[in-house]
Amino acid sequence: MRPRSGPSTPTPVDGIRILAQLPGSWQTSFSHGDSTLTLRIDTSDDTTAAQIAATVTQVLTDPAISHWHVYACRPLNSGPPRIPGQEIPGDV
């Protein structure tokens, strides 16, 4: 996640506010960098990345955290983007 506009330094409070509004059945954690918040979410079911992104986007309508937006959401096991026809070392 990134700030919607202007510089913003993420704080643990922002991450906690966001995680507190996500479904209680999800296992969650976060880390923060200079201007990003990274959420790790394990739903332990068939919830898709698009469904997770939609839920987080809805949570971000709260005025206390509305200065953040989701800029990427992908499964952790998906690996890096692949370019068609490009061999990846270790692929069989």
Side-chain angles (χ1 to χ4, degrees):
M1 297 183 353
R2 291 185 178 158
R4 287 194 181 279
S5 62
S8 181
T9 303
T11 68
V13 173
D14 288 334
I16 292 166
R17 284 180 174 157
I18 294 165
L19 296 185
Q21 294 187 49
L22 295 176
S25 61
W26 291 3
Q27 294 180 10
T28 59
S29 65
F30 74 94
S31 61
H32 56 91
D34 291 338
S35 63
T36 62
L37 279 173
T38 302
L39 305 182
R40 297 190 91 172
I41 298 170
D42 181 358
T43 64
S44 298
D45 60 21
D46 293 331
T47 305
T48 67
Q51 291 168 319
I52 292 170
T55 300
V56 174
T57 298
Q58 179 60 38
V59 163
L60 295 176
T61 62
D62 180 322
I65 50 179
S66 63
H67 57 284
W68 290 101
H69 76 98
V70 176
Y71 74 92
C73 184
R74 69 175 180 87
L76 290 176
N77 61 353
S78 68
R82 292 183 176 227
I83 299 169
Q86 179 185 31
E87 283 190 39
I88 308 245
D91 276 359
V92 177

